[in-house]
Amino acid sequence: MFDQFFSFTGRINRKTFIQSWLAAILTALVLRMVFVYIGIPLLANITYFILYLVQISLIIRRCYDLGLTKWWIVGMVIVSALPPFSLIPIIYLMWAKGNPFDNQYGEEPKN
């Protein structure tokens, strides 16, 4: 799971998406609290930037699993950057059923 946080190729299923997303959020929150506590706010902000890169990677690979076009991916990445709407694409990607067959982005992900 952690070895592919920055991979932008292949497909991931719902279970892997949810587990990876939650792991990234929890890791970023813990690191942010530690960095703020020890007095290094710059590193705390950098953790959120890294979290956003991980989130983009997860969104792209989940969209590949759904067989969505590049425009859908761009739209979801942009919306996920807007705080009031950021959970909308995440919730959709958590519950949308993936393409059950191999597609142009790779083989069907296994559970």
Side-chain angles (χ1 to χ4, degrees):
M1 176 172 49
F2 291 107
D3 60 337
Q4 295 188 0
F5 266 173
F6 297 102
S7 172
F8 291 88
T9 59
R11 298 166 56 179
I12 57 173
N13 58 20
R14 289 183 283 191
K15 180 180 175 184
T16 304
F17 177 77
I18 293 169
Q19 289 174 343
S20 299
W21 189 76
L22 289 174
I25 293 288
L26 292 175
T27 303
L29 287 175
V30 168
L31 287 176
R32 182 169 171 82
M33 288 189 303
V34 168
F35 290 140
V36 167
Y37 180 75
I38 62 175
I40 309 174
L42 177 64
L43 285 179
N45 292 332
I46 290 172
T47 59
Y48 276 151
F49 176 72
I50 293 170
L51 172 67
Y52 187 64
L53 293 177
V54 169
Q55 185 176 349
I56 290 172
S57 167
L58 294 172
I59 288 171
I60 289 172
R61 291 184 290 139
R62 185 70 182 116
C63 286
Y64 286 167
D65 185 44
L66 297 171
L68 298 176
T69 64
K70 303 287 186 200
W71 289 110
W72 277 100
I73 295 171
V74 169
M76 287 197 186
V77 168
I78 290 171
V79 171
S80 72
L82 304 172
F85 307 106
S86 61
L87 286 179
I88 293 171
I90 301 301
I91 291 170
Y92 171 73
L93 294 173
M94 283 182 178
W95 302 114
K97 187 170 175 122
N99 190 339
F101 307 105
D102 296 350
N103 65 19
Q104 64 187 0
Y105 303 109
E107 298 178 356
E108 177 186 9
K110 307 295 183 229
N111 289 331

